[in-house]
Amino acid sequence: MSNNERPKHPAVSRAMDRRRFIQQLGAGASVLAFGGVYALADEGTIATARAADRPDGRPRIPPGQRVITAIKPMGGEPGEPSKSKYRLKIHGEVDKALELSFRDLLDLKQVTRSEDVHCVTGWTLLDARWTGVQLKTLAAMAGVGKQARHVIFEAAHGYTANLPLREALADNVMVAHKLDDKPLAKDHGAPLRAVIPDLYFWKSAKWLTGIRFVSRDAPGFWEVRGYHNHADPWAEERYA
Ligand SMILES: Nc1nc2c(c(=O)[nH]1)N[C@H]1C(S)=C(S)[C@@H](COP(=O)(O)O)O[C@H]1N2
Ligand SMILES: [Mo]
């Protein structure tokens, strides 16, 4: 597929139409899109963020992104939100496969981190406060095998997202059960979702059911529908 060719899948076409719509909007106080009005961050906030570099030297706001003030529900087919019925499988290339209850997860070392969210459709949310367990904690518990090179996040109804193991073990990659100190809402993946702040948000699987370590890459739900396999917002790896 060439760069300009539109993916055939209707969901991807819709996503691209939304993105084009956002890009065509001039500066203004709000954006009408995704079935609602979303406030853009004020100019002071945006200017401060634009001036800031990240510790890795990259600009805080990736190219082509607009800063908004609240997270948007972007849809998807919800899983079972009940905490008591919840199980998370850690499996694949591991020494010891695990099945963790929600309680088990809360007993692990908890971290709270402010991380920015970058959606491929063009919005960025600064300083979302996520609470949960770092992926590296889960990886250490299960013992990742020498063969493992990629991580597949598995979610309700067969949604998956893939990423390289090296990136999955970064300090800011986590499974989160709270956003801004409140239990994750159903729309946003209750009771547990992945958060991979440095890649476009489609990589952050909601309603997470499993984490599978694999030797061979396996492109996920959006990756097989025309989205980029890697999804780096600073390289604008939006579509394949
Ligand atoms: N299980 C699951 N996770 C998912 C999705 C989905 O459809 N199902 N959509 C992805 C996409 S495309 C985006 S942009 C983000 C949106 O998360 P939000 O609704 O919390 O903003 O979730 C990602 N995780
Ligand atoms: Mo998305």
Side-chain angles (χ1 to χ4, degrees):
M1 189 192 292
S2 82
N3 268 346
N4 303 329
E5 194 181 318
R6 294 161 66 89
K8 303 280 181 297
H9 192 274
V12 174
S13 299
R14 280 199 298 278
M16 294 177 84
D17 286 337
R18 287 203 302 265
R19 174 172 169 243
R20 200 160 290 131
F21 175 60
I22 293 280
Q23 287 177 333
Q24 281 163 1
L25 289 166
S30 61
V31 183
L32 179 65
F34 321 107
V37 180
Y38 294 92
L40 292 175
D42 64 85
E43 279 167 26
T45 304
I46 295 170
T48 305
R50 284 221 184 281
D53 280 347
R54 297 158 38 100
D56 63 16
R58 297 188 290 185
R60 179 126 185 231
I61 304 175
Q65 295 295 108
R66 292 170 153 252
V67 181
I68 59 168
T69 57
I71 192 170
K72 285 177 197 177
M74 298 296 286
E77 211 180 325
E80 164 63 59
S82 151
K83 288 179 180 167
S84 58
K85 291 184 192 156
Y86 186 75
R87 294 290 181 278
L88 178 67
K89 277 170 85 168
I90 316 285
H91 60 141
E93 299 280 350
V94 292
D95 300 335
K96 184 169 168 266
L98 305 171
E99 197 169 299
L100 304 173
S101 67
F102 196 77
R103 185 71 252 170
D104 293 335
L105 286 159
L106 294 185
D107 287 340
L108 300 177
K109 180 186 165 202
Q110 304 292 300
V111 297
T112 296
R113 301 182 61 105
S114 281
E115 296 288 345
D116 303 341
V117 171
H118 310 294
C119 178
V120 69
T121 58
W123 58 263
T124 283
L125 176 66
L126 300 175
D127 288 324
R129 215 173 121 84
W130 303 102
T131 301
V133 177
Q134 284 168 305
L135 192 96
K136 66 178 188 180
T137 301
L138 300 171
M141 274 176 76
V144 177
K146 283 199 178 58
Q147 267 54 264
R149 294 287 179 278
H150 305 270
V151 178
I152 311 298
F153 290 90
E154 302 169 324
H157 311 291
Y159 188 92
T160 58
N162 57 318
L163 66 154
L165 176 62
R166 196 172 37 79
E167 295 178 45
L169 298 178
D171 285 348
N172 65 357
V173 173
M174 59 197 286
V175 296
H177 53 83
K178 280 186 178 167
L179 170 57
D180 295 335
D181 305 314
K182 292 184 288 286
L184 209 55
K186 184 172 178 183
D187 278 351
H188 296 293
L192 193 83
R193 77 177 298 162
V195 178
I196 297 116
D198 292 349
L199 297 176
Y200 284 125
F201 207 28
W202 84 76
K203 293 285 186 184
S204 296
K206 303 190 275 192
W207 311 293
L208 192 67
T209 56
I211 298 172
R212 190 155 47 95
F213 294 88
V214 296
S215 54
R216 281 190 45 188
D217 196 11
F221 179 89
W222 283 112
E223 292 79 6
V224 301
R225 288 169 174 78
Y227 279 35
H228 198 283
N229 195 51
H230 182 229
D232 178 353
W234 287 269
E236 291 206 71
E237 292 173 342
R238 299 176 192 271
Y239 307 105

